[in-house]
Amino acid sequence: MIQLSRRTLFGASAAAAATLASRRVFAQVAAPAAASGPFTLPPLGYGFDANEPHIDAMTMMIHHDRHHAAYVANLNAAVKDQSQVAALPLQTILSKLGEMPETIRTVLRNSGGGHANHTMFWTVMGGKGGAPIGELAAAITRDFDGLDKLQAAFNRTGAGVFGSGWVFVTVTKDGKLALVARPNQDTPLMDGATVLFGNDVWEHAYYLKYQNRRPDYLAAWWNVLDWRAIGSRYAAAKAGTLTI
Ligand code: MN
């Protein structure tokens, strides 16, 4: 039985809680991100089961503790003997990939992009879906003719990504929104753009629950969005302070 979320702990018996806590500690110790380096795996900020039933706890656990942790570990390994690169903020590395040492450029692109994409991904989830409010809602109406049309276009774009990749909504400093797709772990940050939110359409993001039905995953994902968090990202983007 999989019971790994912090939320579950509150309802568990003391013995079960101790078991869960030790599993959690073991997971942290065993994760590749425990390796030293400037980049760290951010905590989810909610339980692995917070996005149930739309995204299952096992997928969340593997995705965060293994996939994302591996990107962080590989990124740290790449910059181990590159102190000048290691000192840079991730968004700077990604927006200036062409200036990075050629020997590690591909790792920076794949693992640095993976670290940035997943860091963003966790922050926009863990919510209850619904609809945005305020300035963000107005911008979505202005630039996409409403949330329904944005969702339809976003899902179509995500379903159309061949192989692995991401679908994003980017935002300019004046608040203009745009829909873009990128292959692999590429991100609009590599073009100097700012990411408002995005969805991971790699099979590891949905295969346990949805198998080959990526369109079903794309449709269900909107139910776990945290529009308050995305609204905060929108305000930060307009203020020029949103980095990842
Ligand atoms: Mn992923």
Side-chain angles (χ1 to χ4, degrees):
M1 190 157 88
I2 303 299
Q3 283 188 323
L4 292 170
S5 81
R6 269 158 270 159
R7 190 170 292 176
T8 309
L9 278 177
F10 295 111
S13 70
T19 305
L20 291 171
S22 67
R23 273 191 213 162
R24 183 75 197 153
V25 169
F26 176 77
Q28 284 171 347
V29 169
S36 63
F39 301 100
T40 55
L41 179 67
L44 266 185
Y46 43 79
F48 292 122
D49 63 351
N51 299 306
E52 292 268 12
H54 308 289
I55 300 177
D56 59 287
M58 178 68 100
T59 293
M60 289 297 298
M61 188 272 281
I62 294 171
H63 202 170
H64 179 271
D65 283 11
R66 299 190 198 166
H67 288 277
H68 189 175
Y71 294 124
V72 173
N74 292 337
L75 181 58
N76 280 329
V79 301
K80 191 167 164 283
D81 300 316
Q82 301 275 357
S83 58
Q84 284 184 311
V85 180
L88 295 172
L90 181 56
Q91 66 271 21
T92 304
I93 293 173
L94 296 175
S95 66
K96 298 185 174 183
L97 271 180
E99 299 172 29
M100 295 298 123
E102 208 172 342
T103 51
I104 60 168
R105 198 176 296 158
T106 299
V107 182
L108 294 176
R109 178 177 202 137
N110 293 336
S111 296
H115 182 29
N117 283 337
H118 290 87
T119 298
M120 171 279 299
F121 191 52
W122 313 131
T123 69
V124 303
M125 293 162 61
K128 297 293 175 200
I133 57 168
E135 284 190 28
L136 177 55
I140 287 173
T141 298
R142 182 194 63 210
D143 296 333
F144 296 108
D145 200 18
L147 182 61
D148 288 351
K149 287 190 176 161
L150 164 60
Q151 289 173 328
F154 188 101
N155 293 352
R156 203 163 49 237
T157 301
V161 172
F162 183 75
S164 299
W166 288 75
V167 53
F168 301 94
V169 170
T170 59
V171 55
T172 61
K173 269 195 184 182
D174 59 6
K176 184 123 177 66
L177 306 175
L179 184 60
V180 297
R182 290 288 182 273
N184 306 313
Q185 292 297 350
D186 284 2
T187 154
L189 297 172
M190 292 168 182
D191 309 314
T194 300
V195 173
L196 180 60
F197 67 90
N199 194 0
D200 186 345
V201 298
W202 283 58
E203 285 185 343
H204 67 227
Y206 62 86
Y207 211 83
L208 286 181
K209 185 177 178 72
Y210 295 94
Q211 294 84 47
N212 61 323
R213 291 173 282 115
R214 188 194 287 177
D216 291 355
Y217 158 72
L218 281 158
W221 181 72
W222 298 95
N223 293 309
V224 304
L225 285 195
D226 181 346
W227 281 112
R228 225 176 78 168
I230 298 170
S232 298
R233 290 178 65 83
Y234 185 64
K238 288 182 74 172
T241 58
L242 183 61
T243 54
I244 294 296

